[in-house]
Amino acid sequence: INTAESANVVGLWTCLSGPAVFHFSQRFTTVVPESCMLILLGLVLGGVVLIANKKQLYQLEPALFFLFLLPTIVGDAGYFMPARLFFDNLGAILTYAVVGTLWNAFCTGFCLYAAKLLGVIDERVQADLMDFLLFGALISAVDPVAVLAVFEEVHVNDTLFIIVFGESLVNDAVTVVLYKVYISFVEVGVENVQTADYFKGVASFLIVSIGGTLVGLVFAVILGFITRFTKKVRIIEPLFVFLMVYLAYLTAELFSLSAILSMTFCGIGANKYVEANISQKSRTTVKYTMKTLASIAETIIFIFLGISAVDKSKWAWDTGLVSCTLVFIFVFRAAGVIGQTWVLNRFRLVPLDKIDQVVMSYGGLRGAVAFALVVLLDGEQVKAKDYFVATTIVVVFFTVMFQGLTIKPLVDWLKVPRSTSRKPTINEEIHERAFDHILTAVEDIAGLQGYHHWRDKWEQFDKNYLSKLLLRKSVYRKSELWEAYQKINIRDAISVIDQGGNVLTSARLSLPSMASRASFPEVTNVTNYLRENGSGVCLDLQVIDNVPGAKVEEDTETHHVLAENLYKPRRRYQSHYSRHFMPLGEKERQDREVFQRNMKSRMETFKSTRHKRHKKERNPVVVPVESEEEKGEHSDPEKEEDVGITFVARKAETPKQRPKSALDGSPLASPSSPPSGDSHLPWKGSVGSPPPCVSVEANKIIPVDLQQAWNQSISSLESISSPPVPAEPVHPRVSALSRLGGPRPASYTPPGSTAGSTSSIGAQVLQGPFCFPERNKKEEEEEEEEGGAVQEMQPLMSSLRPPGSLMPPPAPPPPGSAPGQAGGGNPCVYLRSLVMAPSPGSGEPHSRGPTQL
Amino acid sequence: MGSSNSSVNNIPNAQELMQETGFSAAHILRLHERFEFLDKHKCGQLRPQDFGAVQELALNPIGDSIISAFFSPGQETVDFASFVRILAHFRPTDRNQSRDGAQQEPANSSIRKLKFAFQMYDQDRDGKISRAELLQVLRAMLGIQVTEEQLQSIAERAIQEADLDRDDAISFDEFRKSLEKVDIDHKMSIRFLR
């Protein structure tokens, strides 16, 4: 027991450190795939244990493998499967998986039997036709774990990858059925098998595969439906995802259906809806957890394969059997691929050429599934089990080690088109959608009911029924193209900032609270940039107006310290995490995106919150839909995500912040204060009272699609204005500003009016306080009470201004409103202009709101 | 359709069309049947209204734009030959077919495929996709899912990205450049029309 423990420790240690070690030696792993390294490590480890204990303690237990290790890998693969690519190539995948695997299984089985009859295989191998067919079935299936491990490092083009990998997933059904049918035949005895049993075998194949798929799809629907209602319990969203996907696996296994198929289809089916429903943080959690688990499982599998191979007691070597098997599986794989490709190419849009076929033949890796299946064999029934085990180990090692090692040079040598990690541009997004429509239309015109016709039909169905059922209402109306547009904008913002980082910093404004970071030579991302320079962008009068108590100030300072110290490590972390090449976190991207988009196209809308109202008039459609539920759903995700660090600070401060404000105690104020962006603008929380009316209104009025962006914009604006009230004494800037702005409106101004000018980048500084009639204040109060009902907006409508104008109707649009529109053209220039410190001698500083601070 | 059409020989210019477009006789025959089915008035010409008979097309958000791309500028109708020539754009590109330098670019080359897509956008046929034209297609495709402002910013963004000569419109060259990384042969081909 003691030795077991110690060995266990060694094993675990190695398992966990394995990937780390190999990732350190990057150069080494570019030549040798990780899977090979792990197997070698397993061999060494197994040897050590064997020498120490005289007998092998560890085996790859089939139960462990099928219940825990395999599902983690398959779940990860299924959930992150590129669905469109998969279904575009479904025909080829199914052909290779079903026909190819059957072909391999039968040919290998029969030929081994023939070899036995011919005497190539030794007499000691006591096996008849059924045994060989059984062995052929389990050895013929391409293994998803091995394929994934090797192909992920090779980076062949997407089509090739999805065909080989899809095949390896889908052929599970074939393998399972063949395996079980043969097992039962072997148990019953070949002589007792009747013709009907063969038909039963075929029927059970259909049941196992289709049944497994259906189970998976049912769970996918359930999962989608559940996540639709997890708005309030974000924390368990990832749990639901894991559980349901895993349950799909277990349920299928329970009914002896194809568990891999079930899990794969559950993942593929649910991904779209789940990803749309769950919060950003849950998405990240799901992604990282799945990838981590999968990579741990992969490590364990390969190491255990190595360890198991050392166990001599399970082995029985027969050179004839081993070499025959190796030759047969390779030859039949190649023959099968060539034959099927020849047929498929008559139907395929993009034919698979010779090089593809070579890679596909060569990529037919066998792996742990085969090993686990062969270990599961009953030694009583299958006399030659030990021979089969040895052969399987050799086959697995040969394919994973030798083929895995050589496939990369082969791919290089053949100049197989590689996949590019290039992200599509907005034009490509648009036009590819248009192409889909064109093809569908042309198929319709030509009277063909082809692939595009049916895909279109499916999309209609999905849009009209499925999405309605499985997506939150708020998400349902979001446009994919718009999402794509947002993502692209984020990327742009990043590159703009990355390239212009130094330029931007040179214009950095010194904030006392940021003195410590003035030493940072480079601005590396937008959030950082915002923190450093953002304060120049906007001026929030309310910040100046409210004079909170010393306590608040203290809190603010504390929070600054906390925020600054908390933030940097996270940034560093993000920059060098690369396992499985995950793209940059969505959240980070969004943060950046917010900045760029704010600056570029949405500036006008920020100039005045009140201004937003006219949207109501312009889009009457939006208004009725903008129900309470909507609003809740929209502001919630971000809010709930941010429960972490910043929330506490905000919560603590809000009441104190507006002691004499009319909004005091209004229930809506704090909950609806701009939810998002907190995390990336760490001191935002300390701002305490972002003008509550701003976000309340914003959430209500902004069209659904803009909500998130709006929330973030608002929060960034707030954070910008953050050098909060205490700022006045602390920040000379602010006082300078207030001097510029003439008589400081300070506490005289009701929050409502300041809110109006909060985001007014333009020349509000002076006019702001004066332009807002008392009426506004009342409205705000009403609004807080009513909680955003439509009618409450009516009075506000009157104060709407036409787009572009910054002031309420009575005031003429100030000349300084230009910055926003001016920015439309060149983001780069505009960004810079935003952060440029005002030249000291600026003639009309008050007209350039953004540069005031 | 009727027995009179059962042979390719009854279709005028069938041989030339096959030569030109690379369609097989069976394809031509099939398309001719379809053409006659759409041609309710039996006048050998299709008018835009005739395409309305295709029910699915009504569901296609940019169906109208696509239909109008079938008609060459100034023409109210399309005859069978043009109909086939248009559809030939969507034949998959044959990889191993040697192309004679002297010959005109075949209809199913990726340039011609792009040209068709371009024409779908370029409704006024001035050789440029203007902002308004792009917006129109976007609006049709996205429907009510996005607001006008979002459309504007997407269009703005797309034009900025593709517009190399800063004329606030996308010329065909710019269009081609913006899509040069996309496998046009793949994305603009229909399997059945091989």
Side-chain angles (χ1 to χ4, degrees), chain A residues 347 431 489 492 602 705, chain B residues 34 121 149-150 157 191:
Chain A
F347 302 102
H431 300 321
N489 261 348
D492 265 26
R602 306 240 70 86
D705 313 90
Chain B
R34 183 68 184 174
Y121 285 100
E149 270 182 50
Q150 287 173 319
R157 171 72 216 229
R191 189 185 309 164

Side-chain angles (χ1 to χ4, degrees), chain A residues 345 347-348 350 425-427 431 434 437 439 444-445 447 477 482 489 492 602 615 618 705 824-825, chain B residues 30 34 56 60-61 87 95 117 121 142 145 147 149-150 153 157-158 160-162 175 181 187 191 194:
Chain A
N345 274 351
F347 302 102
R348 272 184 72 84
V350 184
T425 64
I426 188 75
N427 271 294
H431 300 321
H437 287 305
L439 291 187
D444 291 337
I445 288 173
R477 258 182 279 110
W482 176 249
N489 261 348
D492 265 26
R602 306 240 70 86
K615 277 220 175 119
R618 271 204 348 214
D705 313 90
Chain B
R30 178 157 185 188
R34 183 68 184 174
E56 292 90 350
N60 199 315
L87 290 180
R95 283 194 182 172
Y121 285 100
L142 298 180
Q145 282 184 313
T147 64
E149 270 182 50
Q150 287 173 319
S153 39
R157 171 72 216 229
Q160 247 184 46
E161 195 179 88
F175 184 72
K181 300 239 172 62
K187 299 248 156 96
R191 189 185 309 164
R194 286 198 76 170

Side-chain angles (χ1 to χ4, degrees), chain A residues 218-250:
Chain A
V218 166
F219 274 94
V221 171
I222 297 175
L223 175 56
F225 197 66
I226 288 180
T227 53
R228 192 182 161 181
F229 301 105
T230 49
K231 188 181 79 184
K232 295 274 193 315
V233 280
R234 292 291 193 197
I235 205 79
I236 57 167
E237 270 173 347
L239 187 68
F240 274 126
V241 177
F242 297 130
L243 272 185
M244 297 310 283
V245 175
Y246 190 41
L247 272 180
Y249 183 91
L250 292 181

Side-chain angles (χ1 to χ4, degrees), chain A residues 345-351 353 422 425-428 430-435 437-453 457 460 463 476-479 481-482 485 488-489 492 600-602 605 615 618-619 703 705-706 824-825 827, chain B residues 30-31 34 38 51 54 56-57 59-62 66-67 70 83 87 90 92 95 114 116-117 120-121 134 138 141-142 145-147 149-151 153-154 156-162 170 175 178-179 181-194:
Chain A
N345 274 351
R346 307 174 75 90
F347 302 102
R348 272 184 72 84
L349 193 57
V350 184
D353 54 23
R422 194 181 56 88
T425 64
I426 188 75
N427 271 294
E428 288 166 12
I430 296 174
H431 300 321
E432 284 184 13
R433 277 176 175 75
F435 290 169
H437 287 305
I438 292 177
L439 291 187
T440 314
V442 170
E443 275 193 0
D444 291 337
I445 288 173
L448 304 165
Q449 305 217 320
Y451 173 70
H452 296 278
H453 175 84
K457 276 262 183 321
Q460 294 286 344
K463 200 174 152 200
Y476 174 62
R477 258 182 279 110
K478 276 190 183 159
S479 153
L481 188 52
W482 176 249
Y485 166 74
I488 287 166
N489 261 348
D492 265 26
K600 210 176 120 204
S601 61
R602 306 240 70 86
T605 49
K615 277 220 175 119
R618 271 204 348 214
N619 299 328
D705 313 90
L706 285 182
Chain B
R30 178 157 185 188
L31 290 176
R34 183 68 184 174
L38 291 173
F51 285 104
V54 187
E56 292 90 350
L57 219 48
L59 291 174
N60 199 315
I62 53 173
I66 295 165
I67 292 174
F70 269 74
F83 181 73
L87 290 180
F90 299 96
R95 283 194 182 172
L114 272 180
F116 181 86
M120 198 255 332
Y121 285 100
L134 184 59
L138 277 177
M141 279 202 297
L142 298 180
Q145 282 184 313
V146 294
T147 64
E149 270 182 50
Q150 287 173 319
L151 282 179
S153 39
I154 294 179
E156 163 75 35
R157 171 72 216 229
I159 288 186
Q160 247 184 46
E161 195 179 88
I170 302 176
F175 184 72
S178 73
L179 289 174
K181 300 239 172 62
V182 177
D183 187 1
I184 302 296
D185 292 342
H186 186 181
K187 299 248 156 96
M188 280 287 278
S189 300
I190 291 175
R191 189 185 309 164
F192 279 35
L193 290 181
R194 286 198 76 170

